[in-house]
């Protein structure tokens, strides 16, 4: 997801209203409702000293124009009221452009009202675009791609300037190609929309202005990932944009709309992305706040979080991971040797799926070495033939470290144990698989902290504590290696309240089974 090239400039806004409004008198306007859902008498109320730009009271000029032309009743947006102090004014030598955001909830835009004035501050044209009309435009195959992109950018710019929003969604696949951080849902992030302090220049029908912005790029982590770091992921880019303003007959044809308070009707051409995090209502380009509370947003974090069961099941269904685990099965015949497969998982923005990679590492005796951090979500390791045939305390400790270092922080850490089958311990093809996965990282850390800080362990090193606690577990499980049900009960009785869950893999159904106990029996619940 490397953002390359330049995003369409802020000044593409000018193309939108200048393209349309120089010829607006030749266009048909969608008619509004006979009974507006706002009080139009209050539409132009403003404090002139606060809204006047360069000494010109544009609001009063618009009000006078409405008395003569009654454009308020022709607007598709019959609910929104203007936010005059957020009005954007762009001046050239021969014309002035106005962009006025309208809102019906004071949280989102319901439309953008565009107006153009000549060099004598006389209105040339007025046009209102509500969210439904924008949707009809950007999803129509009959409309020029550049124009659709400019319209979408215009609304993003105005939304940012009005409400500070930086995250947008449901952008069609053919727009902002290479600039979206999630192609499936059409998401893009743009920070700090700014423009040059220099006045926009016009030469005939050409306008240019320098525009700068901080765009989200992710090159140092590879495709499909980013930690949102300011130094390497947020890049400030400044550039000059030259815009051609076509004549009226070059104006793109806008899909017909039915008018009314909810904007235009008409079915869009290309099917829009269906982002599950879309804000409800007509503001289809907004991401719901509940999906966007973490400022450190990444591809994977914007996806619905996976449960431990989902995480384990997706992992075991991947051929790369399955083959890596198969490599570990013969290791269960070794006397005192553990091997570990580190398991990385990255979200691939191109395939819209997870990519898994594994890395085999060799340990010594009854311990293995596995890294954490970056994109490592878990590991799989063997227990030697004389080792305990259930996850150990050392496995739980590694799980807590992996969860602490995991990226993104919403991911679930897991630790898989490959151990001999008590029915045929010399046939490694029948080896059992157990997994532990995090349910509650805070509870896991608290319980481990209490265990490692028992009064009898105070003053000892971490390694000494671990060795003593492991020796206790050896005695706790002694004689149970050929009784897996009792091993499972013992594990759950001691560690079942550590903010983790225990799973056994069913080789017949290829499903992980979540194991719970009431103290007497084991209950198996298949992961779906």
């Amino acid at each position: 997801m490397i953002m390359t090239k330049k995003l369409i400039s802020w000044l593409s806004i000018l193309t939108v209203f200048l393209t349309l409004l120089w010829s607006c008198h030749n266009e048909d306007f969608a008619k509004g409702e006979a009974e507006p859902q706002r009080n139009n008498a209050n539409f132009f109320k403003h404090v002139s000293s606060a809204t006047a730009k360069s000494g010109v009271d544009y609001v009063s000029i618009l009000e006078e124009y409405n008395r003569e032309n009654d454009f308020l009743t022709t607007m598709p947006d019959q609910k929104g009221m203007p936010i005059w102090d957020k009005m954007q004014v762009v001046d050239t030598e021969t014309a002035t452009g106005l962009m006025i955001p309208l809102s019906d909830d004071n949280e989102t835009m319901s439309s953008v009202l565009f107006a153009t004035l000549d060099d004598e501050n006389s209105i040339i044209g007025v046009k209102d675009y509500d969210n439904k009309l924008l949707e009809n435009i950007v999803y129509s195959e009959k409309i020029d791609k550049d124009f659709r992109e400019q319209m979408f950018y215009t609304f993003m710019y105005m939304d940012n300037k009005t409400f500070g929003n930086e995250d947008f969604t449901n952008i069609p696949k053919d727009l902002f190609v290479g600039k979206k951080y999630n192609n499936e849902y059409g998401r893009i992030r743009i920070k700090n929309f700014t423009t040059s302090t220099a006045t926009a220049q016009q030469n005939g029908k050409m306008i240019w202005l320098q525009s700068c912005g901080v765009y989200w790029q992710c090159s140092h982590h590879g495709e499909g990932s980013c930690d949102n770091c300011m130094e390497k992921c947020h890049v400030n880019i400044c550039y000059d944009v030259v815009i051609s303003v076509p004549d009226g007959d070059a104006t793109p044809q806008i899909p017909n709309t039915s008018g009314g308070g909810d904007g235009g009707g008409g079915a869009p051409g290309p099917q829009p992305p269906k982002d599950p995090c879309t804000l409800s209502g007509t503001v289809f380009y907004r991401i719901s706040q509940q999906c966007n509370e973490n400022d450190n947003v990444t591809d994977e974090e914007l996806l619905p979080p996976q449960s431990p069961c989902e995480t384990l099941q997706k992992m075991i269904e991947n051929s790369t991971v399955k083959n890596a685990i198969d490599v570990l099965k013969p290791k269960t015949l070794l006397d005192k040797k553990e091997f570990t497969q580190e398991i990385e998982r990255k979200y691939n923005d191109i395939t819209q799926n997870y990519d898994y990679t594994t890395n085999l590492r060799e340990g010594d005796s009854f311990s293995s070495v596995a890294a954490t951090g970056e994109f490592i979500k878990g590991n799989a390791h063997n227990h030697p033939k004389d080792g305990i045939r259930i996850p150990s305390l050392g496995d739980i400790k590694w799980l807590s470290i992996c969860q602490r270092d995991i990226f993104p922080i919403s991911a679930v850490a897991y630790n898989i144990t490959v151990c001999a089958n008590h029915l045929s311990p010399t046939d490694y093809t029948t080896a059992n698989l157990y997994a532990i996965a995090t349910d509650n990282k805070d509870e896991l850390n608290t319980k481990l902290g209490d265990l490692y800080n028992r009064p009898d362990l105070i003053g000892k090193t971490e390694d000494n504590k671990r060795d003593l606690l492991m020796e206790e577990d050896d005695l706790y499980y002694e004689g149970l290696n050929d009784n897996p049900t009792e091993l499972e009960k013992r594990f759950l009785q001691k560690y079942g309240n550590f903010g983790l869950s225990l799973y056994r893999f069913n080789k017949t159904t290829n499903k992980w089974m979540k194991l719970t106990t009431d103290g007497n029996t084991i209950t198996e619940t298949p992961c779906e």
Side-chain angles (χ1 to χ4, degrees), residues 276-287:
C277 286
T278 303
L279 189 68
S280 61
T282 63
V283 195
F284 69 99
Y285 48 86
R286 274 284 199 102
I287 296 176

Side-chain angles (χ1 to χ4, degrees), residues 61-77:
I61 294 174
L62 283 168
E63 184 176 20
E64 180 62 30
Y65 183 80
N66 182 65
R67 291 195 190 99
E68 299 173 359
N69 298 273
D70 194 24
F71 69 83
L72 289 186
T73 61
T74 68
M75 292 167 50
D77 182 5

Side-chain angles (χ1 to χ4, degrees), residues 190-221:
I190 308 176
K191 297 170 67 70
N192 301 342
F193 287 85
T194 60
T195 56
S196 170
T197 56
T199 303
Q201 300 294 314
Q202 181 178 7
N203 182 6
K205 293 293 181 72
M206 302 296 290
I207 301 175
W208 65 90
L209 181 73
Q210 188 181 67
S211 177
C212 299
V214 179
Y215 307 117
W216 195 16
Q217 289 186 333
C218 302
S219 57
H220 67 299
H221 282 299

Side-chain angles (χ1 to χ4, degrees), residues 187-459:
R187 293 174 179 154
I188 193 171
R189 163 170 280 202
I190 308 176
K191 297 170 67 70
N192 301 342
F193 287 85
T194 60
T195 56
S196 170
T197 56
T199 303
Q201 300 294 314
Q202 181 178 7
N203 182 6
K205 293 293 181 72
M206 302 296 290
I207 301 175
W208 65 90
L209 181 73
Q210 188 181 67
S211 177
C212 299
V214 179
Y215 307 117
W216 195 16
Q217 289 186 333
C218 302
S219 57
H220 67 299
H221 282 299
E223 287 289 337
S225 60
C226 187
D227 59 5
N228 217 28
C229 64
M230 178 58 70
E231 180 181 357
K232 295 182 179 179
C233 289
H234 286 118
V235 180
N236 189 71
I237 304 173
C238 296
Y239 47 90
D240 288 328
V241 176
V242 179
I243 298 176
S244 174
V245 182
D247 294 326
D249 56 5
T251 299
Q253 192 67 33
I254 307 300
N256 291 331
T257 60
S258 61
D262 290 329
Q271 288 300 311
K274 297 180 179 179
D275 192 338
C277 286
T278 303
L279 189 68
S280 61
T282 63
V283 195
F284 69 99
Y285 48 86
R286 274 284 199 102
I287 296 176
S288 173
Q289 183 64 26
Q290 65 184 13
C291 292
N292 200 22
E293 290 179 349
N294 189 346
D295 185 59
N296 193 27
V297 180
T298 67
D299 289 356
E300 191 172 339
E301 283 181 313
L302 286 176
L303 295 175
Q306 289 185 336
S307 67
C309 251
E310 290 173 313
T311 299
L312 290 173
Q313 200 59 42
K314 288 289 186 182
M315 173 270 301
I316 203 66
E317 291 171 357
N318 181 268
S319 59
T320 298
V321 176
K322 186 177 182 301
N323 291 337
I325 291 176
D326 287 342
V327 170
L328 295 174
K329 291 180 179 180
K331 313 297 186 186
T332 60
L333 304 180
L334 299 175
D335 289 329
K336 293 183 179 181
K337 196 73 168 178
E338 288 195 9
F339 290 80
T340 300
Q341 296 278 13
E342 298 167 346
I343 303 174
E344 286 192 340
R345 186 190 74 186
K346 301 178 184 179
Y347 184 74
N348 189 318
D349 188 48
I350 298 175
T351 64
Q352 309 299 326
N353 210 333
Y354 291 107
D355 291 337
Y356 291 85
T357 57
T358 59
N359 178 46
L360 181 64
R361 300 186 65 170
E362 182 176 350
D364 52 33
S365 187
F366 288 99
S367 65
S368 59
V369 178
T372 60
E374 289 293 324
F375 297 98
I376 294 176
K377 303 298 192 295
N379 84 65
H381 64 284
N382 69 290
H383 280 188
K385 67 178 183 179
D386 293 330
I388 193 68
R389 295 171 184 169
I390 200 77
S392 68
L393 175 62
D395 297 336
I396 297 174
K397 181 68 172 177
W398 185 90
L399 179 73
S400 70
I401 298 172
C402 183
Q403 188 66 64
R404 180 197 66 193
D405 298 339
I406 208 164
F407 179 85
I409 60 174
S410 58
V412 174
Y414 53 85
N415 197 339
I416 301 167
T417 301
V418 184
C419 53
N421 187 317
H422 71 289
L423 296 177
S424 51
T426 59
D427 181 4
Y428 65 81
T429 64
T430 66
N432 288 329
L433 304 183
Y434 284 100
I436 51 176
T438 307
D439 289 327
N440 187 317
K441 65 179 180 180
D442 294 331
E443 188 174 20
L444 175 60
N445 291 331
T446 298
K447 292 291 186 179
L448 280 174
D450 291 344
L451 183 62
Y452 272 69
N453 291 301
R454 284 185 340 201
D456 60 311
L457 298 177
I458 293 177

